[in-house]
Each structure stands twice: as C-alpha cells, then as structure tokens.
Amino acid sequence: MPSSAERALGVAVAASPALPRAALRARAGAAALPAASVAVAIVMALAWQFLPPLLGVPKYILPPLGDLVREMARMWRQENLLLHLVSTASMAAAGFVLGSAFGAVCGYALGLSALWERVLSPYILALQIAPKVAFAPLFIMWFGYNAMPKLLVTVLVVFFPILVNVLQAMKTADRDLVNLARAFSMRRGQIFAKVLFPASLPNLMAGLRIGATLAVIGVTVGELVGGESGLGYLISYGEGQANTAMVFDAIALLTAIGIVLYGLVAVTEARVLHYIPRPPMR
Amino acid sequence: MPHIPPAIDLDGVTRRFVRPGGAPLVAIELVSFSVAPGTFVAVVGPSGCGKSTLLNLVAGLDPPDEGTVRIGGAVVAGPSPQVAFMLQKDLLLPWRSIQRNVEFGLEARPGIRRAERRARAERELARCGLSAFAHHYPAQLSGGMRQRAALARTLAVAPGVILLDEPFSALDAITKLTLQQSFAETIHGAGVTALLITHDLMEAVAMADRVLVMSGRPGRIVEDIGLDLPDRGSPMARRRHARAHDYAARLFSTLRLDAAEAA
C-alpha cells in the first residue's frame, strides 16, 4: 500500500522509472552471463578449428577441433576407449574414497589426541610437502605393473588435504560447545558424535572438494608412469605415436572425470550442509 | 521444620590458573556464599573478576583449588544433572532444528526415550513461545529467539539450578528488555534456582532477589545485597520502582569504590 506521501508524489514516482529499470537490468544481466559464457565457448571452438590451418600450425602441434572429434570416434571403435575410460574413472573413484576415508579417520583420531597430534605434526607437515606423485615409480618397483601403484598414488594424494582439513576442524572446535555437552553429562564418545563430528563437516566437505580434483591427478600420474590401461596410458601411447589428437582427447576425458567427481561431492555437500544459509546467487 | 540444604553453597573457594613462565593467576579467592532453593541471585563485578570462573566451578566443569562447592548439599566433583548453564553465545547446534536442539541435553540422560524427549522439548518450546519455530534451523531465527531457544534447551533437562553467563549482553537494547521479561517470567514460573552473571547493574536489580558484588582480580565477594523489591517475575514492573534505582546507584558506587581502591 502506498503511503499518502507516496500517493501525493504519484506522478513523480511514476515518472522516475529508476527502480524498475534497475530490476530489468539485473534480470537481463542474469540471462546475459550464461549467454556470454556460451559465446566464449563458440568463439574458442571456431578459433581452434580455423586459426591453426590459417596460421600454418602443423596438425601434429595443434590439431583442429574436428580432428579431435574424429579421433575420439576412432578411439572408441579401435582403441577400446570405453575400457580405458572406465578403468581410469573407477581407479580415481576408488582412490578418492579410500584416501578420503583414511584421511578422515586419521584426522579425527589425531584431533582427539592432542599428544599424538603434537608428536606427529612435523612428520605430517613433511609428508604433506613431499610431492606425492613422485612416489609412483617407487610403488611400481614394489608392486609391479598392475593397478596397485596407481591406486596407492591416488590414495596418498587424496589423503592429506582431507586429513589436514579434518584436523583443523577438530582443533578449532568451539570449546564452549564442548563444555555445554560436558555440562549435560555427555561422555567423550557422545561429544564426538553429537558435537565434534557434525561441526567438522564443513571442513571435511572442503577437503573432499580438493581431494576430488587431486584424485584425477594421482591416477593420471600412476597410469603415465607404469600403466597398460587407462587414459594416462593412452596419453603416453599417443605421445609415442605422435598422435596429438589422442593426447588432447584423453586430457579432455580426464577433465570430465574430475568434473563428475567434483560435482558428486558438491551435490553431497549441498545435502549434508543444507542448514548453512547460502547467499543469493549474483 | 526439616533442614533443606542450600541449592548452591560455596565454602572458601579459591581457583588459580598457572600461567606459562609467570606467577599463578588467582582468578577467585576465598569465595563463600549460599543460595536458598528457588532464589535468583545476580553476580556483578568488573571485567576479569572471575565471574565466569565462578560459573565453571558451579557447573562442575572446573575443580576448585581450595574450598568446596556443593549443589543441593552434595559436593560437586564434575558436571551434575542438577545444573544447566547458558552463555552469551546461544550455542545452538546449527545442523539441528530448534526442536532437536532443545532435546540435546536430554540425550545424555539415561532412561529418557525419544517420545518423552520430544514431548519435553515441545513443552519447553511452548513455554518459551517458540512452538511455531520448532522445525526451523538456528540460522533462520533472530538473536533474541535463538537465546530463548537456548533457555528452552536449558530448562528441558529440568535442572534445579541454572547458570546464566551474560545471556543478554549480545542483544540490542529492545530485544534485551523483552527477553529479560520473558526469561524472568519463565524462570519464576519454573521455580528453579538461578545464578545470573552480568555487568549490567540495572539488569541485576530488575531480575534478582539478591546481588553479589565481586571485586577486581583476585575476585572476592565484597558486598551481598538482598533486594527488598516486589515483582520478581517482571523486570519491566521492577524498573519502575524508585527503590530499584536506589539499589542500582548503590551497586554502582560499590563498584566505583572498589575500582578506586584497586587503582
């Protein structure tokens, strides 16, 4: 209901369309953003298709987009692409799940024992800094050319961000909340289950997001160094044959696996952390 | 007449904290007082006078170095089901609905089934005027409503004693007045013993039967003032009494005197 003052100024208000125009602009902006993103993709695809031949870039350096699509179809028919894709995807998923589980368990265990956390923290830091992918040749020497080395590299790569995030959550838990639970005569196990664990979930989910992206790196390195299957293997195979399109295609599929893994984590996070108010999308 | 033990009884209680590489810090020293069941006692004092230490001792979260703390006649050796506390922070669990937050304290009590927990939570929510918000999450409620939910959680465990550590100090002035009123009504209606820690002298006078004044560090009780005022269940009515303002002025001058001595 407009107030009397507003009604008196009715003409002036109607004559100044500042507010509706701003709202309209905001709505147009909301639609313009995805449209702009799609436009960028189209321009990039066209440039990729037509610019290299125009500039005289040879196909073994930068194959046009059409060649990548044709190579993808050929790989599907002749190179058992589905098998390689499934192998890499399942290895990444398995490594992610195992690494996350170990990382979370160790994070909670260390978070509950201040003494062990202090004893082990220098080693955790050292291992966190060590380049985990460099362990891949070592694992191949230990376990041979099978699935074990890639799985281990992936587990190792995923392990640390989860461990560190969970440990951080346990260390920064609100002491007053813990005291409240204690005042209600809760035992340690109950305090963990009802306060510390749920309070750590935002950090755990943040760790899982990082882990999801790292899992693909871990499995790729494992397959590059010593694999007979998987997209990493296809990359080194394509490299040996100077098949640049094959390398590009494998990279694209690895990225897709990473996006799916990350998406699954994001969907889980939205469900688990439903109680956290989200700022409206800009 | 049968002898009823005091709800809270402190006898020569001292608490020190060890500072790394320094002399031990004496938070409170030789504090003695007792509170009769059903009484509302406010504790006021300068900041850093050990008011929160006092609360932790009564809650059984922290042991005294000297002296004894008794609740209902029994020596406190750890958290007691008789005592519940709430702080300036509402300490609601953000992942639980308001209803489930109110049930939180009951979950550690043996022999209380889920149906009874729910019934008791619903009763306390109704008492605190939050029934319509039982299924909301804390982030969806205002600061005052969240603090009322914290009171519902505190009362749900049916404690004999509730400890309130500056429960209104994070709220805006109007919410504070409304909430003091509803807390006073609820606590009066529940008949529990209450210990309110506050730095707001008028709040102490408006809500309590008795005010203890603490000195600066080390905290000691320097004054114990019984408030001869009606309307304990209604701070709004009390604030209108001329004598309430006299009490507040007296508390103010006591604290000022103490500060002057310390300086």
Side-chain angles (χ1 to χ4, degrees):
Chain A
M1 274 293 273
S3 72
S4 58
E6 275 174 329
R7 241 175 285 135
L9 289 168
V11 184
V13 169
S16 105
L19 221 131
R21 189 182 289 170
L24 216 70
R25 205 181 304 150
R27 208 170 307 152
L33 216 61
S37 295
V38 171
V40 168
I42 291 170
V43 169
M44 284 298 289
L46 289 173
W48 195 336
Q49 177 64 28
F50 297 110
L51 231 47
L54 272 176
L55 297 174
V57 180
K59 282 195 170 186
Y60 61 85
I61 298 288
L62 195 58
L65 203 58
D67 285 19
L68 299 188
V69 176
R70 267 193 297 283
E71 175 61 17
M72 192 77 94
R74 190 197 66 77
M75 282 157 71
W76 181 271
R77 277 182 271 109
Q78 294 173 14
E79 307 281 357
N80 243 336
L81 180 60
L82 184 63
L83 206 75
H84 292 294
L85 181 65
V86 168
S87 163
T88 299
S90 55
M91 216 37 98
F96 172 67
V97 170
L98 285 174
S100 310
F102 282 134
V105 167
C106 291
Y108 288 121
L110 287 176
L112 289 173
S113 163
L115 177 70
W116 279 107
E117 198 268 321
R118 250 175 291 164
V119 169
L120 295 178
S121 65
Y123 306 107
I124 293 170
L125 184 67
L127 273 170
Q128 204 192 335
I129 293 168
K132 264 76 66 185
V133 289
F135 284 80
L138 203 60
F139 292 149
I140 288 168
M141 289 191 278
W142 289 348
F143 298 102
Y145 287 89
N146 52 41
M148 198 54 146
K150 356 182 201 186
L151 190 65
L152 277 181
V153 176
T154 313
V155 167
L156 201 59
V157 164
V158 172
F159 178 82
F160 282 97
I162 316 273
L163 168 83
V164 170
N165 268 277
V166 167
L167 189 53
Q168 179 70 14
M170 293 291 282
K171 283 167 77 175
T172 55
D174 189 341
R175 300 319 297 167
D176 288 329
L177 267 183
V178 174
N179 274 342
L180 179 77
R182 282 178 60 207
F184 282 135
S185 315
M186 287 194 178
R187 284 169 282 110
R188 271 177 65 123
Q190 284 176 309
I191 294 175
F192 176 73
K194 290 176 191 291
V195 178
L196 294 173
F197 176 69
S200 76
L201 285 177
N203 280 54
L204 175 65
M205 296 312 298
L208 290 181
R209 274 175 188 258
I210 301 169
T213 59
L214 291 182
V216 179
I217 297 177
V219 78
T220 307
V221 170
E223 289 172 349
L224 275 173
V225 175
E228 291 158 335
S229 65
L231 297 168
Y233 163 75
L234 285 187
I235 288 176
S236 74
Y237 177 71
E239 179 202 357
Q241 304 216 321
N243 186 345
T244 316
M246 190 184 223
V247 175
F248 268 114
D249 282 344
I251 292 173
L253 290 174
L254 281 167
T255 309
I257 291 173
I259 289 172
V260 169
L261 214 50
Y262 186 87
L264 288 175
V265 173
V267 168
T268 312
E269 181 178 320
R271 290 182 69 103
V272 171
L273 305 180
H274 64 91
Y275 57 87
I276 295 176
R278 264 158 234 287
M281 291 281 282
R282 280 203 305 136
Chain B
M1 196 178 131
H3 174 70
I4 301 169
I8 306 172
D9 182 57
L10 273 76
D11 187 11
V13 171
T14 299
R15 178 72 177 119
R16 300 181 199 90
F17 292 100
V18 185
R19 275 184 298 194
L25 181 115
V26 184
I28 59 170
E29 193 170 47
L30 294 170
V31 169
S32 300
F33 66 90
S34 19
V35 179
T39 319
F40 194 128
V41 174
V43 180
V44 298
S47 49
C49 73
K51 289 176 290 195
S52 298
T53 303
L54 192 67
L55 184 135
N56 283 343
L57 290 166
V58 177
L61 294 171
D62 200 20
D65 290 303
E66 282 164 34
T68 43
V69 181
R70 289 188 183 81
I71 296 291
V75 174
V76 170
S80 148
Q82 275 298 304
V83 184
F85 75 88
M86 63 178 289
L87 308 181
Q88 177 180 338
K89 290 191 282 183
D90 54 64
L91 297 180
L92 296 174
L93 305 173
W95 54 86
R96 286 185 176 219
S97 67
I98 296 302
Q99 160 105 25
R100 297 266 297 123
N101 262 293
V102 175
E103 289 177 27
F104 179 68
L106 292 168
E107 289 169 17
R109 301 284 148 101
I112 296 181
R113 299 205 167 272
R114 183 191 273 184
E116 194 194 336
R117 279 210 304 267
R118 194 170 301 163
R120 277 168 76 164
E122 277 164 10
R123 198 168 60 223
E124 293 307 329
L125 284 171
R127 178 155 40 185
C128 296
L130 286 170
S131 294
F133 299 93
H135 302 293
H136 284 56
Y137 283 84
Q140 298 169 303
L141 265 57
S142 69
M145 286 162 92
R146 292 166 60 125
Q147 215 48 339
R148 286 219 304 270
L151 180 64
R153 176 191 61 204
T154 310
L155 293 173
V157 294
V161 173
I162 64 172
L163 308 173
L164 307 161
D165 191 356
E166 307 199 359
F168 311 112
S169 53
L171 303 167
D172 65 88
I174 293 170
T175 310
K176 188 171 173 170
L177 288 176
T178 334
L179 216 60
Q180 284 170 355
Q181 184 72 18
S182 83
F183 268 48
E185 283 167 6
T186 312
I187 290 166
H188 194 61
V192 295
T193 309
L195 193 63
L196 169 72
I197 285 166
T198 179
H199 55 245
D200 180 338
L201 304 181
M202 198 58 214
E203 177 177 297
V205 173
M207 296 187 76
D209 295 308
R210 195 176 140 202
V211 182
L212 302 175
V213 182
M214 285 183 81
S215 66
R217 190 173 291 154
R220 291 161 174 270
I221 304 223
V222 290
E223 182 107 55
D224 184 344
I225 304 171
L227 300 174
D228 185 17
L229 289 169
D231 299 318
R232 205 204 88 190
S234 172
M236 299 264 188
R238 263 199 183 184
R239 280 171 194 275
R240 287 193 287 271
H241 277 282
R243 252 183 309 143
H245 295 272
D246 296 343
Y247 279 124
R250 185 173 151 198
L251 287 174
F252 183 69
S253 62
T254 310
L255 282 168
R256 278 266 304 259
L257 268 175
D258 186 65
E261 267 170 38

